[in-house]
Amino acid sequence: MEKKMSELHAIAHKMVEKGKGILAADESTPTCTKRFESISTESTASTRNYYRNLLFTSKGIEKFISGIILFDETFHQSELETGKKYPDFLSGLGILPGIKVDQGLGDFGDGEKLTKGLDGLSERLNNYYSLGARFAKWRAVINISETFPSKDCIEANAGTLAKYALACQQSNLVPIVEPEVIMDGNHTIDQSFDVTSRALSSVFDQLQNHNVSLQGIVLKPNMVLSGYDCSYQADIEEVAEKTINCLSANVPTEVPGIAFLSGGQSDELATLHLNEMNKYETDWNLTFSYGRALQQPALKSWQGKKENTTIAQEEFIKRAEANSLATLASL
């Protein structure tokens, strides 16, 4: 058990090492289809594989990316040139393969959500580990409105995240713990701070209640932002200060690193916020686990055309390098 935990701790530290971050390439098929529709490209198993292959084979990716979260379909697909399954291909580059294991959102009262996927989870985790996965991801969603989030919803999602995290560690996988407070709405940055604090406090209470080793997890939280429809939009310095203060008050020092999600931010703004936060002295490595904020320029450049592959890869690497510099406050 001690050896197993030391291995998990080492993997968690590798996931959040300075100068690198995690690529979230785990969009569900419906989400990927919407993104492809934006560039007038048909979404099929083949085109989705081609696009993700484009990202994963970008020259120099291993300099900036420590791990990649895969969707189940991609996890079982193969790199186009070598024919290697993606977990093996990525491991060969020194990139940790990960897997999204939650099964989407269910309703929890009026307007609130609880993530599904605990049924049969241990069996799925053991299978993914045997096929090369070294970490997993589970996303909880907390919405803000005049009437929610309710305490019950926060606690239910925190409890589910803790059960998932424990199951991961029992299966030799590092859990990415993702309690995402959604920034859609007209709420203020202070309301974001309050709800994010409540969510993080509840999550760490539950993780400790379930005896999850905090040195063997990666936290993937939202940044503390003004709601996207709020009339006052906090500037980069205020976002960084409020986010750091929120984390400092609620995240134990044993956690090795924090890999922020980008939410609905533009790719440039997500990078600038990360850069500003890394100017602070903290107990954790602060890095990124972005999906759209890493991929969007590449997707636009690709346009579903093979002849645009190289330029799309160059755009992807530009974003990855910019975020790498942001983990060092070097922009």
Side-chain angles (χ1 to χ4, degrees):
M1 177 63 81
E2 194 172 313
K3 184 184 177 202
K4 182 170 88 169
M5 277 304 163
S6 68
E7 287 172 0
L8 286 174
H9 297 167
I11 290 169
H13 280 274
K14 184 178 178 186
M15 288 167 67
V16 293
E17 68 180 285
K18 280 290 181 191
K20 293 189 179 184
I22 299 163
L23 168 62
D26 60 331
E27 304 89 353
S28 66
T29 299
T31 299
C32 203
T33 298
K34 281 183 193 168
R35 299 208 179 153
F36 279 24
E37 283 170 355
S38 74
I39 57 165
S40 303
T41 297
E42 186 182 3
S43 176
T44 65
S46 177
T47 57
R48 291 190 293 273
N49 190 30
Y50 186 92
Y51 171 63
R52 282 159 172 158
N53 192 88
L54 174 161
L55 297 174
F56 304 163
T57 58
S58 295
K59 189 175 179 182
I61 183 176
E62 67 278 3
K63 295 178 194 169
F64 312 118
I65 300 296
S66 59
I68 298 179
I69 313 168
L70 303 171
F71 188 60
D72 180 75
E73 176 185 69
T74 317
F75 192 88
H76 296 289
Q77 288 175 326
S78 301
E79 195 274 323
L80 294 174
E81 191 171 318
T82 63
K84 288 182 180 176
K85 297 288 187 186
Y86 282 120
D88 294 333
F89 174 76
L90 296 174
S91 295
L93 293 176
I95 295 173
L96 293 162
I99 180 70
K100 166 191 160 79
V101 294
D102 70 66
Q103 295 179 326
L105 304 175
D107 291 329
F108 186 87
D110 184 22
E112 299 193 282
K113 301 293 180 183
L114 180 64
T115 306
K116 303 179 292 186
L118 288 179
D119 289 347
L121 179 60
S122 292
E123 185 180 346
R124 287 188 287 125
L125 293 172
N126 287 332
N127 185 49
Y128 283 128
Y129 179 83
S130 73
L131 296 172
R134 290 301 172 260
F135 69 92
K137 190 203 87 165
W138 179 290
R139 173 177 176 252
V141 168
I142 307 293
N143 289 302
I144 300 179
S145 79
E146 291 178 7
T147 56
F148 48 74
S150 65
K151 184 181 178 187
D152 286 349
C153 181
I154 287 175
E155 288 182 352
N157 275 292
T160 303
L161 276 168
K163 289 172 185 171
Y164 141 81
L166 180 61
C168 282
Q169 292 187 342
Q170 290 171 340
S171 298
N172 301 309
L173 295 168
V174 170
I176 290 182
V177 175
E178 182 177 0
E180 180 177 4
V181 177
I182 303 294
M183 293 298 150
D184 294 334
N186 59 6
H187 52 275
T188 66
I189 190 170
D190 290 327
Q191 287 172 288
S192 294
F193 183 99
D194 174 62
V195 173
T196 303
S197 291
R198 288 162 55 198
L200 289 173
S201 175
S202 187
V203 165
F204 281 101
D205 283 348
Q206 288 293 333
L207 289 171
Q208 287 166 324
N209 288 345
H210 285 78
N211 295 314
V212 173
S213 171
L214 298 185
Q215 294 178 61
I217 73 165
V218 169
L219 179 66
K220 181 173 177 175
N222 54 283
M223 298 177 193
V224 176
L225 309 167
S226 306
Y228 295 138
D229 297 325
C230 182
S231 56
Y232 169 74
Q233 290 293 310
D235 62 21
I236 290 165
E237 290 77 13
E238 186 178 2
V239 167
E241 181 184 10
K242 285 227 166 51
T243 303
I244 294 295
N245 288 345
C246 184
L247 296 171
S248 297
N250 294 289
V251 180
T253 58
E254 301 99 293
V255 174
I258 292 170
F260 288 102
L261 59 89
S262 54
Q265 299 178 74
S266 71
D267 41 331
E268 293 91 352
L269 203 50
T271 305
L272 291 172
H273 283 144
L274 180 64
N275 187 73
E276 190 67 25
M277 282 187 269
N278 272 295
K279 294 177 182 177
Y280 288 77
E281 288 289 324
T282 69
D283 293 313
W284 327 275
N285 277 346
L286 301 181
T287 184
F288 58 93
S289 177
Y290 295 165
R292 187 168 51 186
L294 273 172
Q295 297 181 38
Q296 191 64 16
L299 188 69
K300 282 185 177 176
S301 298
W302 176 50
Q303 292 292 315
K305 297 174 182 174
K306 285 189 179 181
E307 60 267 30
N308 294 336
T309 295
T310 301
I311 190 168
Q313 290 177 322
E314 289 168 357
E315 289 297 320
F316 169 66
I317 290 297
K318 275 185 201 169
R319 294 307 324 149
E321 184 173 14
N323 284 294
S324 165
L325 291 171
T327 70
L328 305 165
S330 296
L331 283 179

